[in-house]
Amino acid sequence: MHSPVRAWTKALAAAVTAVTLSTSLLPGPAHAGPPVSAGSAGDDGTWTVEPVGGGHRVTLRLNKPLPVRDAVPELAADGRSLGPAEESPDGMTLTVVTPDPAVATASSVDVAWNGEVPRVTGSAVGRAVPSPAGSPTRTHGKPAPVPVDPAAPGPYAVSHDEYDLGDTAITLEGLGGRQAEIRAKVYLPEGAPGRRPLVVFLHGRHSACYNPATRATSNTQWPCPAGQQPIASYQGYDGPADVLASQGYAVVSVSANGVNAADNPYSEDRGALARGEVVMRHLDLLADAAKGVGDAKLVSLFEDRLDMSDVGLMGHSRGGEGVVKAALMNAGRAKPYGIRAVLPLAPTDFARATLPGTPMAVILPYCDGDVSNQQGQHFYDDSRYAVDGDPAFRASLMVMGADHNFFNTEWTPGVAHAPASDDWSNRNDPVCGGSAPSRLTAAEQYAVGTAYIAGFFRLVQGGEQGLLPLFDGSGGTTPSAGRAVVHTVAQAPAAGRLDVAAFTSPSPSTQVSGAATAVVCAGMLDRSPQSGLPSCASALTTSQAPSWTPATYAGNVASTPVLRFSWSDPTGAVTVPLDKPDQNVSRYDALTFRAARDETATGEVDLAVEVVDKRGASHTFKVSEVSDALTPFPGTASPLPKTWLRTVRVPLSAFTGVKPQQISEIRISGASQKGAVYLADLAFTTMTAGEARTDRLPQVSVEGTTVDEGDGPGTALMTVRLSEKSRTPVTVQIQTIATGATPVVASAAQEVVIPARSLETSFQVPVNGDTAVASAPQSYQVVASVPVNATIGGGFTRLLVTDDDMS
């Protein structure tokens, strides 16, 4: 969906990008002295720190191109990240301009990822962290295998084919008008009658090209330079694609090398919009071909064979964010396709868009060495309460022992045609190193991916309810996943859920008694003061806290409020009453909530949960009896161990002695002498896969503007606009991002509310002007994220501040 506003924004962003790219790597201004510090970064290259415009420009010149990763590169001075870096088009230089005076005396500058400088490969072997002495032992029975094998071949033989419209077949708005390929591998069920459900796969950010003779890779030019050929990342998902095709699905795995070669230097959002455009262009071509229109090869493959009202999307890494963007772009169309299921696999989530109204499963690899902060958890957390009456279920799965790359054979050493590697760099790590007993082999990980990718689409699109226990948090297993341990959390559709206490904000009805405290916290590192909530995760790095890790383009937006409950003796308790109309819970299957031990807790940590009816009868269970949620995850040093809230689920049938028609309150108390935990999402639930229904939500976009700087404190007035009026207020988080040495706009977040039945509202961005003469306008990103009662339309824009001081 395009508008004059988006066209203006595109032109402005392109102009700003051109200015940035042409100036960011130039020496400092003529009046600047020599670099105040410089040095060698070892194998990484050389670095300089030089004064510029009241701050400092930190530049790292690499000896070889930056490794192509899905995470965003950062620069760190003395081990402390300075934030996302600007990458030169050739991948050989990283730059950050910062007002931080401490960098002037830096003794080291390094590449950082996800807030941390990677440790040296092969560092000393540590010991895996065991469960603390006296910690509770899970005593409940082993979960049973599901009755359906998700990876079992179906009744149809599978034919493979490809279509290729060329390296420059599509022009992408998200890359400033640059071109990319239309190329895909096709998997079709032979002899399957009628129009078939469609699943589209999108790979993530990998090198685009390689030289077959020298084995050198490159990612700075598209189409590939002479002597090189494209890396066929799109061919790496044969396992799940073949399973789905044999079960009667049409599967198309699309190539996005043109995006990979240009997303970091030439896009506003690291390629999310461009990847969404690629997916939507393929869907348009497939829809035409199914009607007998368009390219002859596509028509021969798909005429009368596709059901465009039954579409699933899987995206790996940056492709995960890309398929979420595609689903949102589709929902904004006047005649959308029927996207019924979305699976982000080890995804990035740089801007925290939500996806309510669409069944979703986020798969997180515990040993992810690329997107090591598992930021894709935000897709789950941010979408949970984004709209009332949400008809879809969503799940998030933590796959123990899995890395980032090995879900794709073309990213896996030993089976890939082009160069590939294990993204977990510390080979001797006792948990995730290549020889660690808990680490899955490449073949084992691929089998897990095949089982859960195929299983998700068979569940949601195919209605195979026997697969639901793999995704609903009840702990179902499947032999086809081998020895892999997969932890799952899930949220039921609104119609199958009674939210007793979401714990997302302080509530006067929640009572704390005894030797205990209970405080709602959100985010980490005190980055979100506007929320009024204290930070969670006071002793974790950003790579250890998936729910709270700051997003690249929403670093000050509060994330995932939860209740931090601590007690110093077992009298400490939190009591949550049920309103009288909600006391009959007999129609639900289970009591569920999420829990994790606080990272500062030591020794035994266990909870007692008491369900009380209005007669005073009660039933109590210990969390350790039904869940491993309070046992620590393994690891010795960041990015491990993770703090990740796991499911506690108790079937309603287990509550003996109480009447489910008369439940009056739930009490959560310490079952250990002391402890501290995080709690979220207390509810009675009946889990189903639900249905997709996103087109009923308005889309919110933020509009760019240009203002004069002024000579002191002032404001810029900006606008957020809805695609259509909403019957309820729409809230959206707005992040402004400061750049440069002396920014006149601060990095800060604010919540903006569009009143019910209104199409737009304005908000103010503080602009701290000065009397210094600047040589060019200053451009700042303004990003919309985490909407409630709406979805994101145009989430990125620019605030352009012009200098009004005369030279």
Side-chain angles (χ1 to χ4, degrees), residues 352 378 381-382 384 521-523 536 546-548 558-562 594:
R352 292 183 58 193
H378 286 310
D381 288 340
D382 291 345
R384 290 170 302 151
C521 62
C536 307
S547 287
W548 302 304
S559 57
T560 319
V562 298
R594 290 195 294 159

Side-chain angles (χ1 to χ4, degrees), residues 208-589:
C209 309
Y210 81 110
N211 186 314
T214 65
R215 308 295 289 172
T217 62
S218 68
N219 200 51
T220 59
Q221 182 178 331
W222 185 260
C224 292
Q228 298 194 21
Q229 63 187 46
I231 295 177
S233 294
Y234 68 102
Q235 296 179 353
Y237 304 106
D238 283 356
D242 280 337
V243 169
L244 286 168
S246 74
Q247 296 285 347
Y249 298 78
V251 182
V252 176
S253 183
V254 306
S255 179
N257 281 331
V259 180
N260 286 345
D263 58 353
N264 271 3
Y266 298 117
S267 71
E268 283 280 304
D269 59 4
R270 308 285 172 165
L273 173 58
R275 291 182 173 88
E277 290 179 275
V278 168
V279 171
M280 294 308 297
R281 181 58 177 147
H282 279 273
L283 289 180
D284 289 341
L285 290 167
L286 294 171
D288 284 345
K291 292 183 285 191
V293 177
D295 181 80
K297 176 62 178 289
L298 274 78
V299 170
S300 70
L301 289 171
F302 300 113
E303 186 172 12
D304 294 326
R305 300 197 67 180
L306 300 179
D307 181 357
M308 301 304 294
S309 68
D310 191 357
V311 179
L313 303 178
M314 186 282 286
H316 186 182
S317 202
R318 288 200 192 183
E321 193 166 13
V323 296
V324 170
K325 183 62 177 177
L328 294 172
M329 294 170 70
N330 179 69
R333 287 188 169 189
K335 294 182 178 180
Y337 301 114
I339 294 177
R340 296 184 55 202
V342 175
L343 191 155
L345 171 65
T348 59
D349 183 10
F350 297 142
R352 292 183 58 193
T354 58
L355 191 63
T358 302
M360 176 174 61
V362 181
I363 296 180
L364 306 173
Y366 190 74
C367 296
D368 195 323
D370 184 347
V371 188
S372 57
N373 56 12
Q374 279 97 356
Q375 59 190 259
Q377 176 64 27
H378 286 310
F379 283 130
Y380 176 89
D381 288 340
D382 291 345
S383 300
R384 290 170 302 151
Y385 305 111
V387 60
D388 291 335
D390 194 330
F393 102 114
R394 59 191 48 85
S396 185
L397 296 82
M398 184 70 77
V399 183
M400 306 303 291
D403 76 349
H404 188 84
N405 286 350
F406 292 176
F407 295 107
N408 185 320
T409 53
E410 291 303 315
W411 295 5
T412 304
V415 292
H417 293 88
S421 64
D422 180 355
D423 52 275
W424 187 270
S425 59
N426 183 2
R427 301 291 182 261
N428 294 330
D429 185 88
V431 175
C432 291
S435 60
S438 56
R439 177 69 188 273
L440 300 179
T441 67
E444 288 175 323
Q445 179 171 329
Y446 200 69
V448 174
T450 294
Y452 280 87
I453 294 170
F456 175 69
F457 295 111
R458 290 177 63 183
L459 166 64
V460 179
Q461 291 180 266
E464 297 186 57
Q465 294 302 310
L467 293 167
L468 186 60
L470 293 177
F471 300 94
D472 68 0
S474 61
T477 62
T478 178
S480 58
R483 67 184 179 101
V485 175
V486 181
H487 300 281
T488 304
V489 297
Q491 184 188 45
R497 192 178 78 240
L498 171 64
D499 294 319
V500 178
F503 296 132
T504 55
S505 60
S507 171
S509 64
T510 299
Q511 300 297 315
V512 183
S513 58
T517 61
V519 178
V520 175
C521 62
M524 62 191 309
L525 304 177
D526 298 316
R527 292 195 181 198
S528 306
Q530 80 286 349
S531 71
L533 299 175
S535 285
C536 307
S538 59
L540 296 177
T541 68
T542 59
S543 287
Q544 294 175 304
S547 287
W548 302 304
T549 187
T552 299
Y553 295 111
N556 302 111
V557 176
S559 57
T560 319
V562 298
L563 187 72
R564 186 182 185 275
F565 171 52
S566 62
W567 64 97
S568 56
D569 68 48
T571 65
V574 170
T575 302
V576 182
L578 275 70
D579 293 334
K580 190 171 183 179
D582 297 330
Q583 292 180 356
N584 183 355
V585 300
S586 59
R587 70 186 184 95
Y588 299 102
D589 291 341

